[in-house]
Amino acid sequence: MGYGDTGRDRSVEPSSGVPAAVLENVFDDPTHGEPGRDRVGVHVYWEFLLLVGLVALGWLLWRADPDALRGTGLRALLVGAVGLGLLALAAGLSLRAAVPNLAVGPIAVAAALHYAEQGDRGLAASVGSAVVVAAVGGLVLALAVVALQVPAWAASLAGAAGVVVYIERRSTSILVQGDYDPRPTAGYLFAGFAAVAVLGGLFGTIRSIRRLVGRYRPVADPARRRGALAAVVAAVALVGSTVLAALAGVLLAANGPGAVTPTSGLDWTVLAIGVSLLGGTSAYGRRGGVFGTVLAVGLVTVFQEYAPERDLTVSPWTVGGVALGVGLLVTRLVERFGRPRPDSVEKPEPIGDGTISTGWNVPQPQPADNWPPTLPTPPAPEPADPWRDPRWETGPRHWDADDR
Protein backbone atom coordinates (compact mmCIF):
# COMPACT_ATOMS: atom_id res chain seq x y z
CA MET A 1 0.00 0.00 0.00
CA GLY A 2 1.25 3.47 -0.82
CA TYR A 3 0.88 5.04 2.58
CA GLY A 4 2.85 2.22 4.22
CA ASP A 5 6.00 2.98 2.13
CA THR A 6 6.26 6.65 2.99
CA GLY A 7 9.83 7.64 3.93
CA ARG A 8 11.37 4.24 3.29
CA ASP A 9 13.84 5.75 0.81
CA ARG A 10 15.52 7.72 3.63
CA SER A 11 18.07 5.68 5.54
CA VAL A 12 17.75 5.98 9.30
CA GLU A 13 20.47 5.22 11.80
CA PRO A 14 19.12 2.25 13.74
CA SER A 15 20.26 3.23 17.22
CA SER A 16 19.28 6.89 17.21
CA GLY A 17 16.46 7.12 14.66
CA VAL A 18 18.06 10.20 13.07
CA PRO A 19 17.89 10.50 9.27
CA ALA A 20 21.12 9.82 7.42
CA ALA A 21 21.07 13.32 5.92
CA VAL A 22 21.48 14.71 9.42
CA LEU A 23 24.10 12.17 10.52
CA GLU A 24 26.17 12.96 7.43
CA ASN A 25 26.89 16.36 8.98
CA VAL A 26 27.43 15.32 12.59
CA PHE A 27 28.88 11.83 12.60
CA ASP A 28 32.04 10.29 11.18
CA ASP A 29 30.21 7.30 9.70
CA PRO A 30 26.57 8.03 8.87
CA THR A 31 25.64 4.33 8.65
CA HIS A 32 26.86 2.91 11.96
CA GLY A 33 27.92 3.85 15.46
CA GLU A 34 27.30 6.81 17.69
CA PRO A 35 26.09 10.12 16.25
CA GLY A 36 27.82 13.30 17.35
CA ARG A 37 31.23 14.96 17.38
CA ASP A 38 34.34 13.40 18.88
CA ARG A 39 35.69 15.13 22.00
CA VAL A 40 39.33 16.27 22.16
CA GLY A 41 39.53 17.21 25.82
CA VAL A 42 41.11 13.88 26.77
CA HIS A 43 43.97 14.59 24.33
CA VAL A 44 44.57 18.01 25.85
CA TYR A 45 44.91 16.58 29.36
CA TRP A 46 47.13 13.70 28.26
CA GLU A 47 49.42 15.90 26.18
CA PHE A 48 49.82 18.20 29.16
CA LEU A 49 51.01 15.22 31.23
CA LEU A 50 53.44 14.26 28.45
CA LEU A 51 54.82 17.81 28.45
CA VAL A 52 55.33 17.71 32.21
CA GLY A 53 57.15 14.38 31.92
CA LEU A 54 59.37 15.68 29.09
CA VAL A 55 60.35 18.79 31.05
CA ALA A 56 61.14 16.72 34.15
CA LEU A 57 63.30 14.23 32.23
CA GLY A 58 65.05 17.03 30.37
CA TRP A 59 65.91 18.70 33.67
CA LEU A 60 67.27 15.39 35.05
CA LEU A 61 69.37 14.88 31.92
CA TRP A 62 70.71 18.42 32.17
CA ARG A 63 71.80 17.80 35.73
CA ALA A 64 73.42 14.45 34.86
CA ASP A 65 75.11 15.49 31.59
CA PRO A 66 74.77 19.11 30.43
CA ASP A 67 76.74 18.37 27.25
CA ALA A 68 73.92 16.10 26.01
CA LEU A 69 71.68 19.15 25.60
CA ARG A 70 74.08 21.51 23.89
CA GLY A 71 76.45 21.57 20.96
CA THR A 72 77.21 18.32 19.18
CA GLY A 73 75.34 16.22 21.75
CA LEU A 74 72.15 18.18 21.23
CA ARG A 75 72.38 17.92 17.44
CA ALA A 76 72.88 14.16 17.59
CA LEU A 77 69.97 13.90 20.03
CA LEU A 78 67.71 15.87 17.67
CA VAL A 79 68.63 13.71 14.67
CA GLY A 80 67.88 10.58 16.70
CA ALA A 81 64.56 12.10 17.71
CA VAL A 82 63.71 12.82 14.06
CA GLY A 83 64.55 9.24 13.08
CA LEU A 84 62.34 7.83 15.82
CA GLY A 85 59.73 10.45 14.99
CA LEU A 86 59.53 9.38 11.35
CA LEU A 87 59.02 5.80 12.50
CA ALA A 88 56.32 6.95 14.91
CA LEU A 89 54.66 8.94 12.12
CA ALA A 90 54.74 5.85 9.90
CA ALA A 91 53.11 3.74 12.60
CA GLY A 92 50.67 6.51 13.53
CA LEU A 93 49.56 7.06 9.93
CA SER A 94 48.75 3.39 9.51
CA LEU A 95 47.00 3.31 12.89
CA ARG A 96 44.87 6.37 12.13
CA ALA A 97 43.79 4.71 8.87
CA ALA A 98 42.96 1.49 10.81
CA VAL A 99 45.56 -0.54 8.87
CA PRO A 100 48.45 -1.05 11.36
CA ASN A 101 51.73 -1.68 9.57
CA LEU A 102 53.96 -4.04 11.56
CA ALA A 103 56.69 -3.97 8.92
CA VAL A 104 57.92 -0.42 9.63
CA GLY A 105 60.81 -1.63 11.81
CA PRO A 106 62.27 -4.18 9.36
CA ILE A 107 61.81 -1.68 6.52
CA ALA A 108 63.83 0.91 8.45
CA VAL A 109 66.65 -1.57 9.11
CA ALA A 110 66.68 -2.71 5.48
CA ALA A 111 66.84 0.89 4.27
CA ALA A 112 69.66 1.63 6.71
CA LEU A 113 71.63 -1.36 5.40
CA HIS A 114 71.01 -0.31 1.81
CA TYR A 115 72.20 3.21 2.50
CA ALA A 116 75.26 1.92 4.33
CA GLU A 117 76.20 -0.17 1.28
CA GLN A 118 75.24 2.27 -1.47
CA GLY A 119 75.91 5.60 0.22
CA ASP A 120 79.03 6.25 -1.86
CA ARG A 121 76.83 6.51 -4.97
CA GLY A 122 75.42 9.78 -3.67
CA LEU A 123 72.55 10.75 -1.44
CA ALA A 124 69.96 11.05 -4.23
CA ALA A 125 70.78 7.68 -5.80
CA SER A 126 71.01 5.69 -2.57
CA VAL A 127 68.02 7.25 -0.83
CA GLY A 128 65.94 7.46 -4.00
CA SER A 129 66.27 3.76 -4.77
CA ALA A 130 65.41 2.87 -1.15
CA VAL A 131 62.29 5.05 -1.26
CA VAL A 132 61.16 3.59 -4.60
CA VAL A 133 61.55 0.01 -3.38
CA ALA A 134 59.71 0.87 -0.15
CA ALA A 135 56.86 2.49 -2.10
CA VAL A 136 56.51 -0.54 -4.38
CA GLY A 137 56.53 -2.87 -1.38
CA GLY A 138 53.91 -0.72 0.35
CA LEU A 139 51.74 -0.81 -2.77
CA VAL A 140 51.91 -4.61 -2.91
CA LEU A 141 51.01 -4.75 0.78
CA ALA A 142 48.11 -2.35 0.23
CA LEU A 143 46.73 -4.37 -2.66
CA ALA A 144 46.84 -7.51 -0.54
CA VAL A 145 45.00 -5.78 2.31
CA VAL A 146 42.26 -4.00 0.36
CA ALA A 147 41.74 -6.58 -2.39
CA LEU A 148 41.59 -9.63 -0.16
CA GLN A 149 40.05 -7.72 2.77
CA VAL A 150 42.47 -9.30 5.24
CA PRO A 151 43.72 -7.75 8.51
CA ALA A 152 46.53 -5.30 7.84
CA TRP A 153 48.52 -6.44 10.86
CA ALA A 154 48.64 -10.00 9.51
CA ALA A 155 49.52 -8.98 5.96
CA SER A 156 52.20 -6.55 7.16
CA LEU A 157 53.63 -9.21 9.46
CA ALA A 158 54.01 -11.48 6.44
CA GLY A 159 55.70 -8.61 4.61
CA ALA A 160 57.99 -8.06 7.59
CA ALA A 161 59.05 -11.69 7.39
CA GLY A 162 60.06 -11.18 3.76
CA VAL A 163 62.09 -8.08 4.67
CA VAL A 164 63.81 -9.96 7.50
CA VAL A 165 64.93 -12.56 4.96
CA TYR A 166 66.62 -9.74 3.02
CA ILE A 167 68.27 -8.46 6.20
CA GLU A 168 69.58 -11.88 7.23
CA ARG A 169 71.62 -12.08 4.07
CA ARG A 170 74.10 -9.78 5.88
CA SER A 171 75.96 -11.58 8.60
CA THR A 172 78.13 -8.70 9.86
CA SER A 173 77.79 -5.00 10.54
CA ILE A 174 78.25 -2.64 7.61
CA LEU A 175 80.10 0.66 7.78
CA VAL A 176 78.29 3.61 6.23
CA GLN A 177 79.91 4.40 2.89
CA GLY A 178 78.27 7.78 2.36
CA ASP A 179 79.51 11.10 3.66
CA TYR A 180 76.12 12.67 4.40
CA ASP A 181 76.00 14.09 7.93
CA PRO A 182 72.55 15.28 9.05
CA ARG A 183 73.76 16.75 12.36
CA PRO A 184 74.61 20.26 11.04
CA THR A 185 70.96 20.60 9.94
CA ALA A 186 69.50 18.87 12.98
CA GLY A 187 67.45 21.89 14.02
CA TYR A 188 65.80 22.21 10.60
CA LEU A 189 65.13 18.47 10.45
CA PHE A 190 63.47 18.47 13.85
CA ALA A 191 61.43 21.58 12.99
CA GLY A 192 60.26 19.90 9.79
CA PHE A 193 59.28 16.73 11.62
CA ALA A 194 57.44 18.67 14.32
CA ALA A 195 55.61 20.74 11.71
CA VAL A 196 54.46 17.65 9.81
CA ALA A 197 53.35 15.90 13.01
CA VAL A 198 51.47 18.91 14.42
CA LEU A 199 49.85 19.88 11.12
CA GLY A 200 48.78 16.28 10.61
CA GLY A 201 47.23 16.28 14.06
CA LEU A 202 45.46 19.58 13.42
CA PHE A 203 44.04 18.36 10.13
CA GLY A 204 42.99 15.20 11.93
CA THR A 205 40.75 17.25 14.21
CA ILE A 206 38.70 18.43 11.22
CA ARG A 207 35.61 16.26 11.09
CA SER A 208 35.60 15.58 7.35
CA ILE A 209 39.32 14.73 7.20
CA ARG A 210 39.15 12.53 10.28
CA ARG A 211 36.14 10.75 8.82
CA LEU A 212 37.98 10.25 5.54
CA VAL A 213 41.23 8.99 7.07
CA GLY A 214 39.50 6.62 9.50
CA ARG A 215 36.91 5.35 7.05
CA TYR A 216 38.52 1.90 6.93
CA ARG A 217 37.88 1.42 10.65
CA PRO A 218 35.44 -1.51 11.01
CA VAL A 219 32.07 -0.73 12.52
CA ALA A 220 30.36 -4.11 12.29
CA ASP A 221 31.85 -7.27 10.81
CA PRO A 222 35.58 -6.51 10.27
CA ALA A 223 35.65 -8.82 7.24
CA ARG A 224 33.12 -6.69 5.37
CA ARG A 225 34.41 -4.26 2.77
CA ARG A 226 34.20 -0.57 3.60
CA GLY A 227 33.91 0.78 0.08
CA ALA A 228 36.23 1.97 -2.68
CA LEU A 229 37.08 5.30 -1.02
CA ALA A 230 38.06 3.58 2.22
CA ALA A 231 40.24 1.15 0.27
CA VAL A 232 42.06 4.00 -1.51
CA VAL A 233 42.73 5.83 1.75
CA ALA A 234 44.00 2.66 3.41
CA ALA A 235 46.31 1.97 0.45
CA VAL A 236 47.74 5.50 0.54
CA ALA A 237 48.35 5.19 4.29
CA LEU A 238 50.21 1.90 3.88
CA VAL A 239 52.39 3.25 1.07
CA GLY A 240 53.10 6.43 3.05
CA SER A 241 54.04 4.47 6.15
CA THR A 242 56.57 2.34 4.26
CA VAL A 243 58.17 5.42 2.68
CA LEU A 244 58.43 7.18 6.05
CA ALA A 245 59.98 4.06 7.58
CA ALA A 246 62.62 3.93 4.82
CA LEU A 247 63.51 7.60 5.38
CA ALA A 248 63.78 6.97 9.12
CA GLY A 249 66.22 4.12 8.52
CA VAL A 250 68.44 6.26 6.29
CA LEU A 251 68.49 9.08 8.83
CA LEU A 252 69.34 6.76 11.72
CA ALA A 253 72.15 5.17 9.70
CA ALA A 254 73.64 8.56 8.81
CA ASN A 255 73.53 9.82 12.40
CA GLY A 256 77.05 9.13 13.57
CA PRO A 257 80.11 7.24 12.36
CA GLY A 258 79.02 3.84 13.65
CA ALA A 259 78.19 0.75 11.63
CA VAL A 260 74.72 -0.57 10.85
CA THR A 261 74.00 -3.92 12.48
CA PRO A 262 71.65 -6.32 10.66
CA THR A 263 68.78 -7.10 13.05
CA SER A 264 65.20 -8.17 12.51
CA GLY A 265 63.91 -4.67 13.24
CA LEU A 266 60.81 -5.93 15.02
CA ASP A 267 61.97 -4.18 18.16
CA TRP A 268 61.78 -0.91 16.21
CA THR A 269 58.25 -1.83 15.19
CA VAL A 270 57.25 -2.30 18.83
CA LEU A 271 58.94 0.96 19.75
CA ALA A 272 57.34 2.92 16.89
CA ILE A 273 53.81 1.65 17.59
CA GLY A 274 54.32 2.11 21.33
CA VAL A 275 55.40 5.74 20.87
CA SER A 276 52.47 6.41 18.55
CA LEU A 277 49.98 4.96 21.06
CA LEU A 278 51.72 6.81 23.88
CA GLY A 279 51.13 10.04 21.98
CA GLY A 280 47.37 9.48 22.00
CA THR A 281 46.69 7.70 18.71
CA SER A 282 43.94 5.12 19.15
CA ALA A 283 44.78 1.51 18.39
CA TYR A 284 41.33 1.22 16.80
CA GLY A 285 42.02 3.97 14.29
CA ARG A 286 40.63 7.44 13.46
CA ARG A 287 41.16 9.18 16.79
CA GLY A 288 44.39 10.93 17.79
CA GLY A 289 45.86 14.06 19.31
CA VAL A 290 47.75 17.08 17.97
CA PHE A 291 51.05 17.46 19.86
CA GLY A 292 51.10 13.95 21.32
CA THR A 293 53.47 12.36 18.79
CA VAL A 294 56.10 15.10 19.15
CA LEU A 295 55.93 15.01 22.95
CA ALA A 296 56.04 11.20 23.12
CA VAL A 297 59.03 11.07 20.76
CA GLY A 298 60.85 13.67 22.85
CA LEU A 299 60.04 11.84 26.07
CA VAL A 300 61.33 8.47 24.81
CA THR A 301 64.43 10.00 23.19
CA VAL A 302 65.43 11.89 26.32
CA PHE A 303 64.85 8.79 28.44
CA GLN A 304 67.08 6.68 26.19
CA GLU A 305 69.80 9.30 26.58
CA TYR A 306 69.31 9.64 30.33
CA ALA A 307 69.20 5.91 31.21
CA PRO A 308 72.95 5.28 30.61
CA GLU A 309 73.76 8.23 32.87
CA ARG A 310 72.05 6.30 35.68
CA ASP A 311 73.85 3.05 34.72
CA LEU A 312 70.62 1.59 33.37
CA THR A 313 70.82 -0.77 30.42
CA VAL A 314 67.60 -0.60 28.42
CA SER A 315 66.99 -2.10 25.00
CA PRO A 316 64.48 -0.94 22.39
CA TRP A 317 62.42 -4.01 23.35
CA THR A 318 62.13 -2.78 26.94
CA VAL A 319 61.31 0.81 26.07
CA GLY A 320 58.94 -0.25 23.31
CA GLY A 321 57.14 -2.75 25.52
CA VAL A 322 56.59 -0.20 28.28
CA ALA A 323 55.45 2.44 25.79
CA LEU A 324 53.11 -0.06 24.16
CA GLY A 325 51.59 -1.10 27.48
CA VAL A 326 50.99 2.49 28.57
CA GLY A 327 49.75 3.33 25.09
CA LEU A 328 47.06 0.68 25.28
CA LEU A 329 45.79 2.28 28.49
CA VAL A 330 45.79 5.63 26.70
CA THR A 331 43.76 4.05 23.88
CA ARG A 332 41.16 2.96 26.41
CA LEU A 333 40.97 6.51 27.77
CA VAL A 334 40.75 8.01 24.29
CA GLU A 335 37.96 5.67 23.24
CA ARG A 336 36.08 6.17 26.52
CA PHE A 337 36.32 9.94 26.88
CA GLY A 338 36.82 10.87 23.22
CA ARG A 339 33.58 9.41 21.90
CA PRO A 340 30.67 11.76 21.18
CA ARG A 341 28.39 12.80 24.00
CA PRO A 342 25.04 11.01 24.04
CA ASP A 343 23.17 14.32 23.65
CA SER A 344 25.42 15.84 20.96
CA VAL A 345 23.24 15.03 17.93
CA GLU A 346 22.49 18.17 15.97
CA LYS A 347 18.81 18.63 15.21
CA PRO A 348 17.85 19.32 11.60
CA GLU A 349 16.56 22.76 10.73
CA PRO A 350 12.75 22.77 10.44
CA ILE A 351 11.46 23.23 6.92
CA GLY A 352 8.33 25.36 7.11
CA ASP A 353 5.83 25.03 9.96
CA GLY A 354 4.59 21.64 11.03
CA THR A 355 1.63 20.80 13.15
CA ILE A 356 3.50 22.07 16.19
CA SER A 357 5.91 24.83 15.25
CA THR A 358 9.41 25.01 16.80
CA GLY A 359 11.18 28.29 17.28
CA TRP A 360 9.74 31.75 16.57
CA ASN A 361 8.22 31.03 13.20
CA VAL A 362 5.11 33.16 12.61
CA PRO A 363 2.19 31.37 10.92
CA GLN A 364 1.70 32.51 7.35
CA PRO A 365 -1.59 34.40 6.69
CA GLN A 366 -4.18 32.73 4.52
CA PRO A 367 -4.83 34.19 1.06
CA ALA A 368 -7.80 36.51 0.70
CA ASP A 369 -9.39 34.21 -1.89
CA ASN A 370 -9.99 31.63 0.79
CA TRP A 371 -12.37 33.91 2.73
CA PRO A 372 -14.94 32.99 3.75
CA PRO A 373 -13.69 29.49 4.25
CA THR A 374 -15.45 26.82 2.23
CA LEU A 375 -17.98 24.94 4.27
CA PRO A 376 -17.59 21.19 4.38
CA THR A 377 -19.78 19.22 2.02
CA PRO A 378 -22.71 17.71 3.94
CA PRO A 379 -22.91 13.94 3.85
CA ALA A 380 -25.36 12.35 1.46
CA PRO A 381 -28.72 11.47 3.04
CA GLU A 382 -29.23 7.87 3.90
CA PRO A 383 -31.80 6.04 1.71
CA ALA A 384 -35.21 5.58 3.23
CA ASP A 385 -35.98 2.20 4.71
CA PRO A 386 -39.17 0.85 3.14
CA TRP A 387 -39.87 -1.24 6.18
CA ARG A 388 -40.08 1.89 8.26
CA ASP A 389 -43.07 3.19 6.24
CA PRO A 390 -45.87 4.50 8.50
CA ARG A 391 -48.29 2.19 6.79
CA TRP A 392 -46.62 -0.75 8.48
CA GLU A 393 -46.62 0.63 11.98
CA THR A 394 -47.23 -2.00 14.61
CA GLY A 395 -48.66 0.33 17.18
CA PRO A 396 -52.41 0.38 18.07
CA ARG A 397 -54.75 2.20 15.70
CA HIS A 398 -58.38 3.30 16.13
CA TRP A 399 -60.86 1.40 13.98
CA ASP A 400 -63.04 3.62 11.78
CA ALA A 401 -66.33 2.46 10.39
CA ASP A 402 -65.62 4.20 7.07
CA ASP A 403 -62.77 1.79 6.45
CA ARG A 404 -65.13 -1.02 5.83
Side-chain angles (χ1 to χ4, degrees):
M1 299 178 64
Y3 63 84
D5 297 332
T6 303
R8 287 192 180 183
D9 56 337
R10 299 179 63 190
S11 59
V12 177
E13 201 279 324
S15 62
S16 64
V18 182
V22 180
L23 292 183
E24 181 68 29
N25 296 323
V26 301
F27 181 52
D28 294 326
D29 191 333
T31 308
H32 304 87
E34 305 153 314
R37 301 175 184 269
D38 285 345
R39 293 176 285 173
V40 298
V42 61
H43 296 287
V44 175
Y45 292 124
W46 178 246
E47 289 171 2
F48 175 75
L49 293 178
L50 288 176
L51 178 60
V52 172
L54 177 59
V55 171
L57 268 181
W59 179 73
L60 292 175
L61 179 60
W62 174 264
R63 290 192 59 185
D65 184 13
D67 292 335
L69 295 178
R70 62 189 177 192
T72 305
L74 178 60
R75 288 191 289 269
L77 188 68
L78 290 178
V79 173
V82 174
L84 177 59
L86 291 178
L87 271 179
L89 284 180
L93 177 61
S94 64
L95 286 173
R96 289 289 288 261
V99 281
N101 188 357
L102 303 185
V104 291
I107 290 173
V109 174
L113 291 171
H114 173 79
Y115 173 74
E117 294 174 341
Q118 307 293 330
D120 54 352
R121 297 173 49 195
L123 185 63
S126 58
V127 176
S129 58
V131 168
V132 169
V133 172
V136 172
L139 183 59
V140 172
L141 173 62
L143 290 177
V145 171
V146 301
L148 301 178
Q149 192 64 26
V150 295
W153 65 266
S156 61
L157 190 60
V163 179
V164 171
V165 172
Y166 167 82
I167 295 173
E168 288 182 343
R169 296 175 60 186
R170 282 85 176 163
S171 57
T172 59
S173 300
I174 301 175
L175 292 174
V176 179
Q177 303 299 316
D179 56 357
Y180 170 65
D181 187 3
R183 286 173 292 183
T185 58
Y188 298 103
L189 291 174
F190 186 82
F193 152 69
V196 171
V198 173
L199 288 177
L202 287 174
F203 281 119
T205 61
I206 301 175
R207 182 180 58 208
S208 58
I209 296 179
R210 184 183 64 248
R211 177 177 59 196
L212 177 65
V213 173
R215 196 176 185 89
Y216 205 77
R217 169 173 168 161
V219 292
D221 185 355
R224 295 180 59 184
R225 300 183 186 275
R226 299 286 290 140
L229 181 59
V232 171
V233 173
V236 171
L238 286 172
V239 174
S241 65
T242 57
V243 171
L244 288 173
L247 292 175
V250 171
L251 197 60
L252 291 173
N255 185 25
V260 178
T261 303
T263 61
S264 66
L266 292 177
D267 53 346
W268 285 101
T269 294
V270 174
L271 182 60
I273 295 181
V275 170
S276 181
L277 296 180
L278 186 64
T281 303
S282 173
Y284 295 102
R286 196 182 76 194
R287 296 189 173 103
V290 178
F291 301 95
T293 300
V294 177
L295 295 175
V297 166
L299 183 67
V300 171
T301 302
V302 172
F303 174 77
Q304 288 179 321
E305 187 72 18
Y306 173 71
E309 300 295 333
R310 304 296 299 178
D311 296 330
L312 298 176
T313 302
V314 291
S315 66
W317 284 108
T318 303
V319 180
V322 173
L324 189 59
V326 177
L328 291 177
L329 297 178
V330 176
T331 289
R332 184 66 266 163
L333 293 176
V334 167
E335 292 294 331
R336 170 62 181 85
F337 298 103
R339 66 179 58 176
R341 297 182 183 275
D343 55 348
S344 62
V345 180
E346 296 178 0
K347 301 299 182 181
E349 293 294 333
I351 302 176
D353 289 328
T355 305
I356 302 178
S357 178
T358 58
W360 296 94
N361 294 328
V362 180
Q364 299 293 331
Q366 298 292 334
D369 295 341
N370 293 339
W371 183 260
T374 304
L375 296 177
T377 304
E382 296 182 0
D385 188 358
W387 298 100
R388 299 294 297 174
D389 191 274
R391 290 176 301 175
W392 301 95
E393 290 182 358
T394 59
R397 297 183 61 185
H398 297 286
W399 181 82
D400 193 346
D402 296 335
D403 293 339
R404 292 179 299 172

